[in-house]
């Protein structure tokens, strides 16, 4: 299934934010920062990645539903999309 960057702008923003946060976490570990602060930032990275993944899955569901409504074959099967969704949990 092709992804449209304009439709996935929110997911892309979250991924870019997570990218920056991960760089910060790496620096914190390299500099011997406090464990609690590192883990707090790591949890934020993880949450941003999860939300981006769920946004991408949501967009895929919308694309499949739109294709069905137009009488077209969806770009990905419901079963495959469900499997991808479950891989995020």
């Amino acid at each position: 299934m092709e992804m449209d960057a304009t439709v996935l702008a929110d997911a892309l923003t979250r991924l870019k934010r997570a990218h920056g946060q991960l760089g910060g976490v790496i620096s914190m570990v390299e500099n011997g920062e406090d464990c609690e602060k590192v883990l707090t930032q790591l949890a934020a990275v993880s949450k941003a990645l999860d939300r981006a993944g769920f946004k991408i899955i949501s967009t895929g569901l919308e694309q499949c539903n739109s294709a069905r409504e137009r009488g077209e074959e969806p770009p990905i099967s419901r079963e495959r999309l469900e499997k991808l969704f479950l891989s995020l949990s």
Side-chain angles (χ1 to χ4, degrees):
M1 178 171 66
E2 297 292 321
M3 295 194 308
D4 181 351
T6 57
V7 173
L8 293 171
D10 183 52
L12 188 57
T13 299
R14 291 177 189 280
L15 289 170
K16 287 179 180 181
R17 185 177 306 130
H19 183 263
Q21 288 173 314
L22 184 56
V25 170
I26 291 168
S27 293
M28 291 173 78
V29 171
E30 290 174 341
N31 295 328
E33 294 282 337
D34 178 66
C35 178
E36 186 175 347
K37 290 179 182 177
V38 170
L39 291 175
T40 298
Q41 289 305 310
L42 193 56
V45 172
S46 180
K47 189 172 184 175
L49 290 173
D50 288 345
R51 288 185 179 212
F54 289 126
K55 179 63 176 178
I56 292 169
I57 291 292
S58 172
T59 300
L61 285 169
E62 289 175 15
Q63 288 180 354
C64 289
N65 285 336
S66 294
R68 282 189 195 94
E69 288 174 0
R70 292 188 306 268
E72 300 172 1
E73 186 69 25
I76 188 169
S77 71
R78 181 183 173 279
E79 293 78 19
R80 180 69 181 137
L81 204 52
E82 182 178 328
K83 186 174 181 178
L84 291 170
F85 174 81
L86 293 174
S87 73
L88 294 174
S89 62

